[in-house]
Amino acid sequence: AQSVAQPEDQVNVAEGNPLTVKCTYSVSGNPYLFWYVQYPNRGLQFLLKYITGDNLVKGSYGFEAEFNKSQTSFHLKKPSALVSDSALYFCAVRDPLNYGGSQGNLIFGKGTKLSVKP
Amino acid sequence: DAMVIQNPRYQVTQFGKPVTLSCSQTLNHNVMYWYQQKSSQAPKLLFHYYDKDFNNEADTPDNFQSRRPNTSFCFLDIRSPGLGDAAMYLCATSRDQGTLPEQYFGPGTRLTVT
């Protein structure tokens, strides 16, 4: 069965330092991978996605993610964290083998709370 | 601005009393989704509409129903809410064309069951 794992419940970073939020996946076939961010009492906002091509994907708000097939990982990164980046981050995967049957079959990880301190 | 709107933002209902949550979109997307997100958990897909075609996830309880009267609106009906149905309900849309599209989420409706 396809799944997504975010091994850290919380990541604490000082403002200005680089940040990494980890995500690993397990799917049959080639994965389609997403990162979303959720601010308090808000819906999820799309950050970036990987479908194919360059392993380094650039997204919104200065975030990027690196797809690593051998390690089945898709870690989210940012070179310099901002206090305003503090939020809940979700990694998600869609199994292309199931795409035709269920258009919305996004499987989310449990989320990682990012806290950036001044 | 084009967006996904959910009303109300906060809903309180009594145990067993039917409740309807609404979602509207100005994006003209053909796919609309409903997710349930319980505290400190990942969003879980309940069902989605691909145009007028309804697609229910296998483990969505029968207590949850949905209606999509037109492209812009989609409703989530909970026929007999239980205490375990208290959650944030997220509506999302996407345009299903070309390369895998991302989903656009509304702000959510937080449901409390008393």
Side-chain angles (χ1 to χ4, degrees), chain A residues 36 41 49 51 94 99 104 109, chain B residues 9 33 42 96 99-100 103 106:
Chain A
Y36 285 83
N41 296 313
K49 65 182 176 184
I51 300 171
R94 190 144 100 191
Y99 176 68
Chain B
R9 294 292 310 276
Y33 314 83
D96 188 49
T99 307
L100 198 71
Q103 297 182 15

Side-chain angles (χ1 to χ4, degrees), chain A residues 32 34 36 38 41-44 46 49 51 88 90 94 99 101-106 108-110, chain B residues 9-10 33 35 37 41-43 45 48 50 55 57 90 96 99-103 105-107 110:
Chain A
Y32 294 162
F34 299 78
Y36 285 83
Q38 185 176 32
N41 296 313
R42 302 287 297 276
L44 279 70
F46 169 78
K49 65 182 176 184
I51 300 171
L88 191 57
F90 289 97
R94 190 144 100 191
Y99 176 68
S102 179
Q103 301 292 340
N105 195 20
L106 267 182
F108 286 90
K110 63 179 175 60
Chain B
R9 294 292 310 276
Y10 301 90
Y33 314 83
Y35 289 85
Q37 185 181 22
Q41 295 186 22
L45 182 66
H48 71 275
Y50 187 95
N55 296 271
E57 293 301 303
L90 300 170
D96 188 49
T99 307
L100 198 71
E102 61 267 26
Q103 297 182 15
F105 285 79
R110 183 168 295 282

Side-chain angles (χ1 to χ4, degrees), chain A residues 6-80:
Chain A
Q6 293 181 244
E8 302 154 317
D9 290 336
Q10 181 154 345
V11 171
N12 298 312
V13 178
E15 187 174 33
N17 283 0
L19 69 87
T20 299
V21 182
K22 295 180 180 177
C23 172
T24 59
Y25 64 89
S26 175
V27 296
S28 52
N30 293 320
Y32 294 162
L33 295 156
F34 299 78
W35 275 102
Y36 285 83
V37 60
Q38 185 176 32
Y39 297 99
N41 296 313
R42 302 287 297 276
L44 279 70
Q45 294 179 33
F46 169 78
L47 280 178
L48 48 82
K49 65 182 176 184
Y50 172 83
I51 300 171
T52 187
D54 195 348
N55 288 344
L56 186 63
V57 180
K58 293 189 182 296
S60 306
Y61 312 121
F63 284 92
E64 59 188 26
E66 185 170 11
F67 173 69
N68 188 317
K69 188 172 183 178
S70 63
Q71 297 184 3
T72 62
S73 68
F74 189 56
H75 300 332
L76 181 70
K77 300 181 179 183
K78 187 173 182 180
S80 180

Side-chain angles (χ1 to χ4, degrees), chain B residues 19-36:
Chain B
V19 65
T20 295
L21 310 181
S22 71
C23 176
S24 63
Q25 54 129 340
T26 61
L27 298 162
N28 202 32
H29 285 172
N30 59 329
V31 192
M32 294 187 76
Y33 314 83
W34 279 104
Y35 289 85
Q36 179 192 64

Side-chain angles (χ1 to χ4, degrees), chain B residues 7-68:
Chain B
N7 287 308
R9 294 292 310 276
Y10 301 90
Q11 176 73 57
V12 180
T13 191
Q14 293 178 339
F15 182 94
K17 184 176 181 180
V19 65
T20 295
L21 310 181
S22 71
C23 176
S24 63
Q25 54 129 340
T26 61
L27 298 162
N28 202 32
H29 285 172
N30 59 329
V31 192
M32 294 187 76
Y33 314 83
W34 279 104
Y35 289 85
Q36 179 192 64
Q37 185 181 22
K38 295 188 176 181
S39 182
S40 302
Q41 295 186 22
K44 179 180 178 302
L45 182 66
L46 295 173
F47 27 59
H48 71 275
Y49 274 94
Y50 187 95
D51 294 323
K52 295 183 178 181
D53 293 333
F54 178 71
N55 296 271
N56 199 29
E57 293 301 303
D59 55 354
T60 298
D62 293 340
N63 197 27
F64 292 87
Q65 303 286 321
S66 186
R67 296 170 284 134
R68 189 179 186 186

